[in-house]
Amino acid sequence: MKSIKKTLVMAIVLPLALGSASAMAYGGGKGHHEGKGGCGMDGGKKMFRELDLTSEQKTQMKTLRESHREQRHANTDTRDVRKASHQQMQQLLLADSFNEAEVRQLAQQMSEQQLDHRVAMLKNRHDMLNILTAEQKTKLQELQSERMAKCDARRDAKVN
């Protein structure tokens, strides 16, 4: 009877724990991505529209977005590896005994996978930002600062 309770608790807690850890690792969480104009890192489209991009810059941006999309779709093997890692972690957590060494090793691998994914995303963003002129980059920083101030005010209003 005791093992059934353990299994039931693990079946309920595991998805919550993995989902929360994943969301926190990617800077997520409730309210992080609030749709258009939200407070997430990527509010790009609206802000880029305010930068008065030239038609050449728009074309370069579109080409980069398509290239990055193709790279993501071509990277199904890394998605499969991440999925397999999550399944392996679930098996380790549901095991009768906790093997800390294996969990640590798998957690390290998963962290490296997340790090690689994050670096690739930031490289793509860097490529897009390099299309901008110095003046456009300055304006983008101002827009981001304004947006963050609004987000802070909204967050503070929710807390109080």
Side-chain angles (χ1 to χ4, degrees), residues 132-144:
L132 302 177
T133 65
E135 294 81 16
Q136 289 171 325
K137 287 179 181 181
T138 300
K139 186 173 181 180
L140 179 65
Q141 288 176 325
E142 291 169 3
L143 291 169
Q144 287 174 330

Side-chain angles (χ1 to χ4, degrees), residues 18 47 59 62 64 78 87 121-122 129:
L18 290 176
M47 279 195 273
T59 302
K62 184 177 181 179
L64 273 177
T78 58
Q87 290 172 341
M121 285 177 25
L122 291 172
L129 292 175

